Amino acid sequence: MKNKVKITRIEQKMTQEQLARRVRVTRQTIGLIEKGAYNPTLQLCVAIAKALGKTLDDLFWEVD
């Protein structure tokens, strides 16, 4: 799963740990999501989008 979580997080000067705390997961989970090695639940995707001030489309779906 290709996503823009890492780019968006870095643009906002947020660490993986800070994002993880905001969405109540481990830093390792955020790292795996950013690598595309973990498929998060819709609930977690929504929480990440809210924490980063973005929409699900912005972070998780590619637009042609």
Side-chain angles (χ1 to χ4, degrees):
M1 174 186 224
K2 184 173 176 155
N3 63 65
K4 297 178 186 143
V5 174
K6 183 175 183 177
I7 292 167
T8 305
R9 177 183 59 76
I10 290 170
E11 286 173 350
Q12 295 187 16
K13 297 180 176 26
M14 189 183 300
T15 66
Q16 285 183 343
E17 184 66 33
Q18 290 168 326
L19 179 56
R21 285 183 185 164
R22 286 189 185 186
V23 299
R24 299 177 188 245
V25 297
T26 65
R27 183 201 56 78
Q28 291 83 355
T29 299
I30 297 299
L32 291 171
I33 291 168
E34 290 179 352
K35 287 185 202 176
Y38 178 80
N39 190 14
T41 64
L42 181 57
Q43 182 179 3
L44 180 51
C45 290
V46 169
I48 291 169
K50 284 183 179 179
L52 294 174
K54 299 290 182 178
T55 67
L56 290 174
D57 287 343
D58 292 337
L59 296 177
F60 296 100
W61 281 276
E62 292 185 43
V63 179
D64 292 335

